[in-house]
Amino acid sequence: FIRQNHLENIFIIGSRDVPVYPVAACLQKPIYFIASGKSSTFILFAENERKEYEGNEETKKSMEAMQSNNVKEAIWILSHPFSDESQHHLSIRLLEKFETSIVPDEIYYIYSVTLKN
């Protein structure tokens, strides 16, 4: 989906890093992962700084990642539907969802995220 829609060159943010890492592998490019606070193509379970965020904090961390990487537009890959109502100065639009998978936790919701002025 990302390649078919020419989205692979946009800054990509992944939440719930374990199920989203296969996307980085398929795209053969680093994705910014909220849990570790850095871009990578693979997961290091030994890292003590990994932390999963949910709801409001997940949205806030995504916004901070965009600001610190100086991007106004990103693709946000979640393993659950977006549910934070406050949106923290972000415009968030669902692009596609993939709710069936052989691996139960590899469910994807792909959003377009833009920082509001």
Side-chain angles (χ1 to χ4, degrees):
F1 174 82
I2 291 171
R3 278 199 185 116
Q4 287 174 348
N5 290 281
H6 309 288
L7 303 172
E8 67 272 14
N9 293 320
I10 298 175
F11 186 72
I12 300 175
I13 301 169
S15 184
R16 303 292 197 294
D17 58 0
V18 174
V20 179
Y21 271 104
V23 177
C26 286
L27 292 175
Q28 298 179 341
K29 72 171 268 177
I31 290 177
Y32 183 92
F33 289 96
I34 298 170
S36 62
K38 61 184 176 183
S39 295
S40 66
T41 55
F42 58 91
I43 190 168
L44 293 173
F45 287 103
E47 291 181 349
N48 292 334
E49 66 265 9
R50 281 183 68 246
K51 182 178 183 211
E52 297 290 345
Y53 296 94
E54 293 182 10
N56 187 10
E57 280 299 305
E58 182 179 55
T59 308
K60 182 179 173 188
K61 291 293 181 182
S62 295
M63 186 180 75
E64 289 170 1
M66 291 174 71
Q67 291 170 332
S68 66
N69 285 277
N70 200 29
V71 296
K72 295 209 179 265
E73 184 179 358
I75 298 300
W76 195 16
I77 304 173
L78 303 178
S79 57
H80 56 85
F82 176 73
S83 61
D84 182 10
E85 297 299 321
S86 63
Q87 297 189 20
H88 297 279
H89 308 292
L90 295 173
S91 173
I92 300 170
R93 182 174 53 96
L94 178 66
L95 297 176
E96 188 63 77
K97 59 185 174 182
F98 301 91
E99 298 179 309
T100 57
S101 172
I102 294 170
V103 179
D105 68 344
E106 290 181 358
I107 304 299
Y108 302 108
Y109 296 84
I110 301 175
Y111 294 88
S112 171
V113 182
T114 307
L115 284 173
K116 296 178 184 176
N117 291 333

